[in-house]
Amino acid sequence: MPGSNFGTLFHISTFGESHGPALGVVIDGCPAGLALTEEDIIPYMNRRRPGQSQYTTARSESDTPEILSGTFNGVTTGAPIAILIRNTDQRSKDYSEIADIFRPGHADFTFFEKYGIRDYRGGGRSSARETAARVAAGAVAAKLLREFNIEAIAFTKSISDITVDDKFLDPMENRVRRDDVLKSPVFMPDSAAGERACAFLDKKREELDSTGGVVRIHVTGLPAGLGDTVFEKLDARLAGALMSIGAVKGVTIGDGFSVSLSTGSLDNDSFYADDDLNIHTTSNHGGGILGGMSTGGMIIAEAAFKPTPSIAKEQETVDKAGISRKISIKGRHDPTVVPRAVVVCECMVNLVIADALLTNATARLDNLHKIYRR
């Protein structure tokens, strides 16, 4: 099955299913000498793991990562880093009634058409549980990026039409603080908007329904020039990474679709030099990327998530024989995927930036001279 590998130099390969014994990831290309233990990964896993609040699935997984290889005495060796995350709270019987039925909004039908077989227990490889492996890898990438004072912060921008205050969306200033994001049950830095969102989710749960929303990511500390041209543009890589998350249906960079209503004189980010002759832009409509390469400004990306497809409200569908059926999905499911997807988006961005950082090291001869010249 292709599609489980990501990255060029900082390369990952994920494996495992929702109701199998474990999931995991193998990271190849992480430089030797990086201090790394399970304690660096656990905070990221905790942000994603289920069962933390009434707005996430009640499935109770500790999601404790086990580093199996690639480190010695708490430091990376340059060898592949294998991380295992065991499944401990599977309830496969919750899915026995849908063994022959295609759930609306899920990959059941397309997976069956492609392979002629599907793991109906939670969706198998198509389950959102697969993202646990991505988060483990993204946590390692984040540790690498911190060596260079590069940080990605993701947060819930909106749930349905409930959106955080504009001050948190300033394209020139990162007013989002990680502590404010983490103390919200829906990971909104705006506490007032978060309270409204929680009340809205309570209503959706009572209605046996679900809703979508938007995750926004800010990346600060990047030097100018990360990324490549043509097919490997940094914004293209970011869009592909975010679109690879199961429930994402749209990605924007910078001003996104609103640029279609702008003009060149308004949309262009003008340049200026500070007293030390460092070059900056006066605005950031481009989201910190020009020509597929970073400008040195804050990177801004957003991912739009569809409503959780697993809902208890009765829906029309068909079974494998094409016979019309009605379905009410049982089990433990989120009223929205957005809060738990925040850290997934952040980690996918971390992986892209870490890969771009390593790739960029070979872009100029003087970089190689710094390493090899005698």
Side-chain angles (χ1 to χ4, degrees), residues 94-106 108 118 120 208 309-319 323-330 333:
D94 286 346
Y95 298 89
S96 58
E97 294 182 7
I98 63 165
D100 297 319
I101 300 175
F102 299 131
R103 295 170 296 172
H106 282 271
D108 298 347
R118 72 179 176 93
Y120 59 83
L208 306 181
S310 293
I311 57 174
K313 180 175 286 190
E314 190 173 79
Q315 303 174 82
E316 299 284 343
T317 188
V318 299
D319 60 22
I323 299 173
S324 295
R325 303 282 293 273
K326 293 183 184 296
I327 184 174
S328 177
I329 298 176
K330 299 178 181 178
H333 306 288

